[in-house]
Each structure stands twice: as structure tokens, then as C-alpha cells.
Amino acid sequence: MPRILIVEDDTDINNSTAEYLRRQGCTCAQAFSGTEGRLLWQAGGIDLLLVDLMLPGLSGSELIGEIRKTSRTPVIVLSAKAELSDKVELLGLGADDYLTKPYQLEELWARILVQLRHASAVPAQTLLRYRDWTLNPEEMTLTATGQPVSLTAHEFKIVELLVSQPKRVFTKQQIYKAVWQEEYAVEDKTITVHISNIRAKLRPSGTDGYIQTVWGIGFKLAEARVEPGRYARPKRT
């Protein structure tokens, strides 16, 4: 059952398209602005997007550009613009197909099936799992105890790095160099701030204690159960 995100500010078009696709067996998420579409996309689990160009908040082209930074999920543009130059521009930006309004729902469905077949032919990215976390490196999404966690690109890469070697202690310098591809300044608080933000976003799932501070060294993933909000300190002697 494919999950399709419809990003269209025309209520009638959005609702009629969603109703038709549900009859075909799809699950539909509906957004009526580019900003709302981005939020639903970031929540994860989308198999294909239908995107209008002229959207309030964030334009369709800007939304596609953001998606293509991290994912190859199929995108079909739905727009009243019929000029060849517009189609060429959108396909160059990363859209997989382009359908001019008004369109027939049967043709839209046929194009969706083509894109889903193409996507299924591509080997799926291996998911990374650690206890109650599931990471999708291709889509840069994290779920914790089944709940989507909205991370920035740098935050996700930090978590991905820790999960890749869960028993290893990473220094701040090692994390910074791996994520930012730059040398770390000794007094820079970037890593500390990012770890704090990640923990705050994980707190609702009760998994913020998975990231353990190794005092005087850096960070690692906790092997034993750690209560949310409590971090292991070395015993005083």
C-alpha cells in the first residue's frame, strides 16, 4: 500500500486526488502549503510525492530541491504551467515526471505506477537499528519507539555515526570532522550543543539516555539501560 504525499493548495484538487488514490488502495497524506508539505515529508514514510509549483510558504521547486538533497523518492509535479522550459527546469531540479493541469486522474495513476515500479527496482537502502531506534540513511529519518524524530542533517549524521559503531567512544573532534568534514576548534561548543538538541528531541520517546557522555572524552551509545535524562558518570574513588 503506497503512501503518497499530495502537496497542493487548491482544496478541491487536493481532496479529489486523495479520494481517487485511496480508492486505488493508496494511503494519502495531504498538505496545503509547501511548508506543511515539508513537515509531513520530514516525518518519513512517504513513497511518492505529488507537488504543485505555486504554493504558499515554500514553493514547489524549493520543496523538491530540499528533498533531493537527501532522497531519491519519486516526485511528480502537478502544475498549470505548460511551457517546455518549465518542464525542463523542474526535471533538471530533480522531479521525476510532470503533469499539466487539468489532468485526468486515470493518467495520473498510470504515471504514479510507473514511478513506483522504477523506485522498487532500485535496491533499498539498508536500515540501521539500535535498540528502539530505526534510521533510514537514504531519507535521513529517525524513528524512536515508533515515533518520528525531526532532526537536522547534522544531528542525523551525528546519530548515524554513533549507531555505526555503538561500542566506540567518539571524541568531539572525531564527531566534528566526520560530520562537518572540517577540523575541530578546541573551544568550539558545536558538538555539545547538537548533542543537547538531539537529546531534547529524543526525550518524548524516552530514549534520550541512549546517548551517553563519557566525561573528559566524548560520547558513545549506552550499552546498559539508562533512565531518560540521566547520563553515566565515572564513579569517584
Side-chain angles (χ1 to χ4, degrees):
M1 183 182 293
R3 187 161 189 257
I4 296 176
L5 172 57
I6 305 169
V7 190
E8 166 64 68
D9 62 331
D10 186 303
T11 303
D12 291 337
I13 294 176
N14 197 319
N15 288 336
S16 62
T17 301
E19 181 181 353
Y20 175 83
L21 292 177
R22 289 185 181 115
R23 291 201 301 268
Q24 309 311 310
C26 301
T27 299
C28 293
Q30 295 175 252
F32 298 88
S33 71
T35 306
E36 185 183 9
R38 178 171 58 187
L39 290 173
L40 290 174
W41 160 255
Q42 290 174 340
I46 301 298
D47 298 305
L48 182 142
L49 295 93
L50 303 177
V51 180
D52 184 25
L53 292 182
M54 305 300 291
L55 294 168
L58 187 73
S59 72
S61 58
E62 290 172 327
L63 176 60
I64 295 169
E66 290 196 16
I67 290 170
R68 281 296 173 258
K69 291 178 182 178
T70 59
S71 174
R72 292 303 310 168
T73 299
V75 176
I76 298 177
V77 169
L78 308 175
S79 176
K81 293 185 176 181
E83 296 295 327
L84 178 60
S85 59
D86 295 319
K87 297 180 181 180
V88 171
E89 179 183 355
L90 264 297
L91 292 172
L93 183 62
D96 297 279
D97 202 353
Y98 192 113
L99 196 57
T100 303
K101 298 178 183 177
Y103 52 83
Q104 296 295 319
L105 290 169
E106 292 79 6
E107 181 182 0
L108 173 63
W109 179 235
R111 290 173 182 257
I112 288 173
L113 290 176
V114 169
Q115 294 304 324
L116 291 176
R117 282 198 299 270
H118 289 169
S120 64
V122 178
Q125 176 78 36
T126 302
L127 299 179
L128 298 178
R129 302 183 190 278
Y130 177 78
R131 290 167 63 174
D132 295 315
W133 290 351
T134 300
L135 288 79
N136 186 324
E138 180 181 353
E139 297 184 358
M140 296 185 72
T141 57
L142 165 68
T143 58
T145 62
Q147 305 174 39
V149 181
S150 180
L151 300 178
T152 66
H154 286 146
E155 290 168 354
F156 180 86
K157 288 184 178 298
I158 290 173
V159 175
E160 183 182 19
L161 178 66
L162 295 175
V163 170
S164 68
Q165 299 184 63
K167 294 185 178 182
R168 176 178 172 180
V169 179
F170 288 91
T171 66
K172 294 178 182 178
Q173 292 87 344
Q174 289 169 335
I175 295 173
Y176 192 91
K177 188 170 184 179
V179 173
W180 275 266
Q181 301 295 308
E182 298 176 4
E183 294 298 328
Y184 180 78
V186 176
E187 299 301 324
D188 197 323
K189 300 184 183 298
T190 300
I191 300 302
T192 301
V193 171
H194 276 68
I195 292 291
S196 177
N197 290 340
I198 294 169
R199 283 172 172 159
K201 293 178 178 181
L202 289 168
R203 197 161 293 128
S205 68
T207 64
D208 53 308
Y210 285 13
I211 301 179
Q212 178 181 3
T213 299
V214 182
W215 298 96
I217 303 177
F219 302 94
K220 70 182 294 290
L221 293 185
E223 296 181 37
R225 287 285 176 181
V226 178
E227 295 180 16
R230 302 174 69 94
Y231 314 116
R233 294 175 179 267
K235 293 181 179 180
R236 296 178 180 269
T237 56

